[in-house]
PDB file of all heavy atoms in Angstrom:
ATOM      1  N   ARG A  75      92.582 121.183  35.584  1.00  0.00           N
ATOM      2  CA  ARG A  75      91.214 121.756  35.783  1.00  0.00           C
ATOM      3  C   ARG A  75      90.309 120.879  36.516  1.00  0.00           C
ATOM      4  O   ARG A  75      89.638 121.255  37.423  1.00  0.00           O
ATOM      5  CB  ARG A  75      90.593 122.257  34.489  1.00  0.00           C
ATOM      6  CG  ARG A  75      91.261 123.357  33.920  1.00  0.00           C
ATOM      7  CD  ARG A  75      90.564 124.009  32.731  1.00  0.00           C
ATOM      8  NE  ARG A  75      90.529 123.005  31.602  1.00  0.00           N
ATOM      9  CZ  ARG A  75      89.809 123.243  30.444  1.00  0.00           C
ATOM     10  NH1 ARG A  75      89.084 124.233  30.380  1.00  0.00           N
ATOM     11  NH2 ARG A  75      89.849 122.241  29.455  1.00  0.00           N
ATOM     12  N   MET A  76      90.403 119.467  36.171  1.00  0.00           N
ATOM     13  CA  MET A  76      89.457 118.601  36.850  1.00  0.00           C
ATOM     14  C   MET A  76      89.948 118.341  38.243  1.00  0.00           C
ATOM     15  O   MET A  76      89.094 118.308  39.148  1.00  0.00           O
ATOM     16  CB  MET A  76      89.435 117.254  36.090  1.00  0.00           C
ATOM     17  CG  MET A  76      88.686 117.364  34.764  1.00  0.00           C
ATOM     18  SD  MET A  76      88.955 115.985  33.653  1.00  0.00           S
ATOM     19  CE  MET A  76      88.205 114.632  34.577  1.00  0.00           C
ATOM     20  N   GLY A  77      91.263 118.415  38.440  1.00  0.00           N
ATOM     21  CA  GLY A  77      91.712 118.153  39.874  1.00  0.00           C
ATOM     22  C   GLY A  77      91.428 119.420  40.693  1.00  0.00           C
ATOM     23  O   GLY A  77      91.007 119.288  41.841  1.00  0.00           O
ATOM     24  N   ASP A  78      91.499 120.602  40.149  1.00  0.00           N
ATOM     25  CA  ASP A  78      91.208 121.778  40.804  1.00  0.00           C
ATOM     26  C   ASP A  78      89.758 121.769  41.280  1.00  0.00           C
ATOM     27  O   ASP A  78      89.285 122.178  42.311  1.00  0.00           O
ATOM     28  CB  ASP A  78      91.502 123.060  40.068  1.00  0.00           C
ATOM     29  CG  ASP A  78      93.053 123.279  39.872  1.00  0.00           C
ATOM     30  OD1 ASP A  78      93.819 122.513  40.613  1.00  0.00           O
ATOM     31  OD2 ASP A  78      93.399 124.046  39.058  1.00  0.00           O
ATOM     32  N   LEU A  79      88.873 121.392  40.295  1.00  0.00           N
ATOM     33  CA  LEU A  79      87.422 121.323  40.501  1.00  0.00           C
ATOM     34  C   LEU A  79      87.104 120.334  41.565  1.00  0.00           C
ATOM     35  O   LEU A  79      86.343 120.530  42.473  1.00  0.00           O
ATOM     36  CB  LEU A  79      86.686 121.018  39.137  1.00  0.00           C
ATOM     37  CG  LEU A  79      85.274 121.000  39.269  1.00  0.00           C
ATOM     38  CD1 LEU A  79      84.631 122.231  39.703  1.00  0.00           C
ATOM     39  CD2 LEU A  79      84.730 120.499  37.891  1.00  0.00           C
ATOM     40  N   HIS A  80      87.792 119.125  41.451  1.00  0.00           N
ATOM     41  CA  HIS A  80      87.553 118.158  42.517  1.00  0.00           C
ATOM     42  C   HIS A  80      87.873 118.628  43.881  1.00  0.00           C
ATOM     43  O   HIS A  80      87.176 118.430  44.896  1.00  0.00           O
ATOM     44  CB  HIS A  80      88.276 116.938  42.157  1.00  0.00           C
ATOM     45  CG  HIS A  80      88.276 115.740  43.110  1.00  0.00           C
ATOM     46  ND1 HIS A  80      87.085 115.093  43.404  1.00  0.00           N
ATOM     47  CD2 HIS A  80      89.176 115.168  43.896  1.00  0.00           C
ATOM     48  CE1 HIS A  80      87.246 114.113  44.303  1.00  0.00           C
ATOM     49  NE2 HIS A  80      88.623 114.208  44.595  1.00  0.00           N
ATOM     50  N   GLU A  81      89.029 119.248  44.086  1.00  0.00           N
ATOM     51  CA  GLU A  81      89.419 119.807  45.297  1.00  0.00           C
ATOM     52  C   GLU A  81      88.420 120.786  45.880  1.00  0.00           C
ATOM     53  O   GLU A  81      88.099 120.803  47.072  1.00  0.00           O
ATOM     54  CB  GLU A  81      90.803 120.386  45.331  1.00  0.00           C
ATOM     55  CG  GLU A  81      91.899 119.378  45.184  1.00  0.00           C
ATOM     56  CD  GLU A  81      91.920 118.510  46.389  1.00  0.00           C
ATOM     57  OE1 GLU A  81      91.798 118.923  47.550  1.00  0.00           O
ATOM     58  OE2 GLU A  81      92.021 117.270  46.266  1.00  0.00           O
ATOM     59  N   ALA A  82      87.935 121.783  44.984  1.00  0.00           N
ATOM     60  CA  ALA A  82      87.023 122.839  45.409  1.00  0.00           C
ATOM     61  C   ALA A  82      85.683 122.139  45.819  1.00  0.00           C
ATOM     62  O   ALA A  82      85.095 122.645  46.861  1.00  0.00           O
ATOM     63  CB  ALA A  82      86.787 123.769  44.219  1.00  0.00           C
ATOM     64  N   LEU A  83      85.229 121.146  45.180  1.00  0.00           N
ATOM     65  CA  LEU A  83      84.072 120.400  45.561  1.00  0.00           C
ATOM     66  C   LEU A  83      84.159 119.643  46.805  1.00  0.00           C
ATOM     67  O   LEU A  83      83.203 119.631  47.647  1.00  0.00           O
ATOM     68  CB  LEU A  83      83.568 119.453  44.463  1.00  0.00           C
ATOM     69  CG  LEU A  83      82.977 120.270  43.259  1.00  0.00           C
ATOM     70  CD1 LEU A  83      82.690 119.277  42.008  1.00  0.00           C
ATOM     71  CD2 LEU A  83      81.626 120.989  43.514  1.00  0.00           C
ATOM     72  N   ARG A  84      85.397 119.124  47.053  1.00  0.00           N
ATOM     73  CA  ARG A  84      85.654 118.359  48.346  1.00  0.00           C
ATOM     74  C   ARG A  84      85.667 119.296  49.454  1.00  0.00           C
ATOM     75  O   ARG A  84      85.041 119.006  50.534  1.00  0.00           O
ATOM     76  CB  ARG A  84      86.984 117.622  48.324  1.00  0.00           C
ATOM     77  CG  ARG A  84      86.946 116.212  47.550  1.00  0.00           C
ATOM     78  CD  ARG A  84      88.199 115.558  47.632  1.00  0.00           C
ATOM     79  NE  ARG A  84      88.639 115.394  49.042  1.00  0.00           N
ATOM     80  CZ  ARG A  84      89.871 115.635  49.562  1.00  0.00           C
ATOM     81  NH1 ARG A  84      90.811 116.059  48.803  1.00  0.00           N
ATOM     82  NH2 ARG A  84      90.181 115.513  50.863  1.00  0.00           N
ATOM     83  N   LYS A  85      86.222 120.511  49.323  1.00  0.00           N
ATOM     84  CA  LYS A  85      86.258 121.486  50.397  1.00  0.00           C
ATOM     85  C   LYS A  85      84.850 121.995  50.673  1.00  0.00           C
ATOM     86  O   LYS A  85      84.513 122.315  51.760  1.00  0.00           O
ATOM     87  CB  LYS A  85      87.185 122.645  50.040  1.00  0.00           C
ATOM     88  CG  LYS A  85      88.566 122.230  50.120  1.00  0.00           C
ATOM     89  CD  LYS A  85      89.438 123.484  49.725  1.00  0.00           C
ATOM     90  CE  LYS A  85      90.848 123.097  49.723  1.00  0.00           C
ATOM     91  NZ  LYS A  85      91.812 124.129  49.313  1.00  0.00           N
ATOM     92  N   ALA A  86      83.912 121.965  49.641  1.00  0.00           N
ATOM     93  CA  ALA A  86      82.615 122.539  49.874  1.00  0.00           C
ATOM     94  C   ALA A  86      81.654 121.256  50.309  1.00  0.00           C
ATOM     95  O   ALA A  86      80.483 121.385  50.518  1.00  0.00           O
ATOM     96  CB  ALA A  86      81.996 123.002  48.637  1.00  0.00           C
TER      97      ALA A  86
END
Side-chain angles (χ1 to χ4, degrees):
R75 287 190 293 174
M76 289 168 65
D78 292 347
L79 182 60
H80 177 65
E81 285 301 315
L83 289 170
R84 277 189 54 229
K85 287 180 182 177

